[in-house]
Amino acid sequence: MGTAGKDITCKAAVAWEPHKPLSIETITVAPPKAHEVRIRILASGICGSDSSVLKEIIPSKFPVILGHEAVGVVESIGAGVTCVKPGDKVIPLFVPQCGSCRACKSSNSNFCEKNDMGAKTGLMADMTSRFTCRGKPIYNLMGTSTFTQYTVVADIAVAKIDPKAPLESCLIGCGFATGYGAAINTAKVTPGSTCAVFGLGGVGFSAIVGCKAAGASRIFGVGTHKDKFPKAIELGATECLDPKDYDKPIYEVICEKTNGGVDYAIECAGRIETMMNALQSTYCGSGVTVVLGVASQNERVPLDPLLLLTGRSLKGSIFGGFKGEEVTKLVDDYMKKKISVNYLVSTKLTLDEINKAFELLSSGQGVRSIIVY
Ligand code: NAP
Ligand code: ZN
Ligand code: ZN
């Protein structure tokens, strides 16, 4: 008996409230409504942003099912869905692509206005939830929610990918694309240039890979966990620096080593201090800084405008500037071994072990844990 059109009962990790471990629960996932897709999740990475929601750095409604970096298989589709069919392998998109808003019509932006990052409704387009647990509706995260065996997403929030793509391809759904694309698409790193990447997590490592792919000649990796330095060097960093080793700000150290500063800095830690160090580590006449990290909603960058006046620029980037449709090609490139994401995976765990994955992320051990369902 097929499951299409029926409620599905399955296991999910529910965050009932912030600052508490996730709870493994039996939930009900309603069938997809018109222009929605129900997906059986195969694997999901745990991103710094999931952890930041739990720590209330990124605001969200609770109770919520976190997770936004996954690969899965379409179980069923709602009326009017034409982009995928049951059985297709897909990556859910936390930045959707509606095709008709100002951003989707522009080649300069990937930030589709149908995203749920600003309003943070935690609901589907009809303002209802597809998840129920213990009789209560559960909110979704950025229209994705992947720490569950089944989820429902809008049909504009799904990219069809190679059916043979392995579990590790889930990381193309956020961490890899975010860091790699920030170097290639947003900073537009040039051959022979100098770069500094701040924060050596999944996003930071991917930014190093992007800088190398763009032909940078010197890449500084800046982080506080020295055990990650050999991996950063293996991936393309030419030198790693721990700010704790110096009695002056790390931007001064970088400026001294690079005749006045790097050409490009990419911030992947989500901290005000590293954002300011990134900006000040770039060359005053032309340096480009890209902020990827998400700082606490109450924090502000204390920006002296003179830092920009002489030619520096400060940019942001969501999902590495990639539009949803480009995810299919990223996975194709991965399958052809033009890019790799496997270096990001440090641990594979079951859904029951998800709180261990959050502990590993918070302690800075390893890079990415992926949950295999
Ligand atoms: P992650 O694995 O936790 O990495 C963050 C890194 O930042 C850590 O490994 C650590 O680097 C450094 N860091 C964090 N807190 C620190 C502290 N208190 N002191 C010193 N260093 C600290 O997270 P991620 O998944 O790579 O994500 C990185 C950031 O990007 C997060 O803010 C996340 O929310 C954001 N993000 C943004 C987008 C986007 O589209 N813009 C997408 C995904 C994630 P070291 O180990 O080197 O010290
Ligand atoms: Zn993410
Ligand atoms: Zn759009």
Side-chain angles (χ1 to χ4, degrees):
M1 284 276 283
T3 45
K6 298 175 189 158
D7 284 351
I8 289 180
T9 302
C10 69
K11 221 158 58 161
V14 176
W16 289 103
E17 51 185 320
H19 307 286
K20 293 275 165 63
L22 306 187
S23 175
I24 303 300
E25 304 276 0
T26 298
I27 66 160
T28 303
V29 183
K33 294 191 181 177
H35 292 287
E36 293 178 359
V37 178
R38 189 160 61 183
I39 301 168
R40 179 168 62 88
I41 301 293
L42 300 173
S44 178
I46 296 181
C47 172
S49 300
D50 295 311
S51 175
S52 291
V53 171
L54 211 50
K55 291 175 180 166
E56 286 190 293
I57 293 169
I58 299 177
S60 168
K61 291 193 172 146
F62 284 82
V64 63
I65 296 175
L66 303 172
H68 60 281
E69 181 182 80
V71 61
V73 173
V74 175
E75 173 272 337
S76 63
I77 54 175
V81 175
T82 55
C83 57
V84 289
K85 58 182 188 317
D88 285 347
K89 196 170 263 192
V90 292
I91 286 182
L93 303 171
F94 71 94
V95 181
Q97 189 176 359
C98 76
S100 54
C101 73
R102 178 173 171 177
C104 284
K105 283 183 176 161
S106 162
S107 57
N108 292 328
S109 176
N110 67 332
F111 193 48
C112 173
E113 293 172 15
K114 292 274 169 67
N115 75 81
D116 195 33
M117 275 173 251
K120 295 184 173 63
T121 64
L123 297 168
M124 303 303 289
D126 69 351
M127 289 297 151
T128 62
S129 170
R130 300 292 163 270
F131 304 128
T132 318
C133 181
R134 302 191 199 187
K136 292 193 185 105
I138 308 292
Y139 291 107
N140 72 34
L141 180 75
M142 298 189 287
T144 46
S145 288
T146 58
F147 297 157
T148 167
Q149 290 173 317
Y150 287 85
T151 192
V152 178
V153 305
D155 63 354
I156 57 168
V158 69
K160 185 173 163 178
I161 61 164
D162 187 326
K164 293 187 292 300
L167 299 176
E168 288 81 357
S169 59
C170 65
L171 300 180
I172 293 172
C174 183
F176 175 79
T178 297
Y180 182 80
I184 304 272
N185 300 327
T186 315
K188 300 189 196 304
V189 170
T190 49
S193 61
T194 51
C195 301
V197 173
F198 291 75
L200 301 179
V203 173
F205 274 141
S206 303
I208 289 174
V209 170
C211 292
K212 186 180 177 189
S217 61
R218 281 181 87 182
I219 306 168
F220 294 89
V222 184
T224 56
H225 291 93
K226 286 197 179 62
D227 51 326
K228 292 183 186 166
F229 288 3
K231 173 72 89 180
I233 300 281
E234 194 187 318
L235 293 173
T238 51
E239 197 173 333
C240 285
L241 307 170
D242 181 346
K244 294 199 296 302
D245 292 344
Y246 301 89
D247 54 10
K248 54 185 160 191
I250 199 68
Y251 76 82
E252 283 186 24
V253 177
I254 294 173
C255 287
E256 280 165 15
K257 285 175 178 279
T258 54
N259 189 26
V262 289
D263 298 306
Y264 305 96
I266 305 182
E267 200 278 344
C268 313
R271 300 172 65 241
I272 299 297
E273 191 192 339
T274 43
M275 290 175 192
M276 284 308 296
N277 268 287
L279 179 64
Q280 288 169 279
S281 74
T282 62
Y283 181 55
C284 61
S286 58
V288 175
T289 302
V290 181
V291 171
L292 304 183
V294 186
S296 169
Q297 51 180 321
N298 303 319
E299 290 184 299
R300 297 290 177 269
V301 175
L303 186 67
D304 174 356
L306 284 177
L307 287 173
L308 302 179
L309 198 74
T310 54
R312 288 191 182 95
S313 57
L314 180 60
K315 305 169 92 173
S317 175
I318 193 85
F319 194 46
F322 285 112
K323 287 184 186 272
E325 65 196 10
E326 294 177 274
V327 167
T328 308
K329 168 142 193 334
L330 279 174
V331 174
D332 286 346
D333 286 348
Y334 167 54
M335 298 302 286
K336 288 178 193 152
K337 300 197 184 334
K338 289 186 189 167
I339 55 173
S340 175
V341 300
N342 294 10
Y343 59 86
L344 294 175
V345 180
S346 43
T347 325
K348 286 185 183 169
L349 298 166
T350 64
L351 185 60
D352 292 327
E353 297 172 305
I354 194 161
N355 289 309
K356 187 175 164 197
F358 275 89
E359 283 161 28
L360 288 171
L361 189 70
S362 291
S363 67
Q365 290 173 58
V367 184
R368 268 296 196 266
S369 300
I370 65 173
I371 303 297
V372 177
Y373 293 79

